[in-house]
Amino acid sequence: TTLYVTLSPCIACARVIYTMKIKRVIYLDSYAAYKGIGIDEGVEFLRKFGVQVERHHSAVYSGQ
């Protein structure tokens, strides 16, 4: 299953995503950047447990 989200998952959401056995997450913007923290803990958590996580880069989307 692939999950498309606006922000990369926070650590709490990442745990739910992993529990639901989602295999791939595609996001537009970084949750860490949005919250002003240093690292995307949710992304790191998911990658550690084998979930493919990638940032989508769209020519149409112009968000920061």
Side-chain angles (χ1 to χ4, degrees):
T1 304
T2 300
L3 175 67
Y4 294 87
V5 294
T6 305
L7 291 175
S8 58
C10 67
I11 190 68
C13 292
R15 289 181 178 131
V16 173
I17 290 167
Y18 177 72
T19 301
M20 298 304 295
K21 301 185 184 202
I22 292 171
K23 300 295 181 196
R24 184 175 178 213
V25 177
I26 300 175
Y27 66 93
L28 285 176
D29 291 317
S30 166
Y31 176 79
Y34 173 76
K35 294 298 268 184
I37 55 179
I39 188 169
D40 269 310
E41 293 177 318
V43 171
E44 297 301 317
F45 173 88
L46 290 171
R47 287 181 176 154
K48 179 179 177 181
F49 290 99
V51 177
Q52 181 184 356
V53 182
E54 60 190 80
R55 186 170 187 172
H56 178 72
H57 298 284
S58 171
V60 176
Y61 181 73
S62 62
Q64 296 297 326

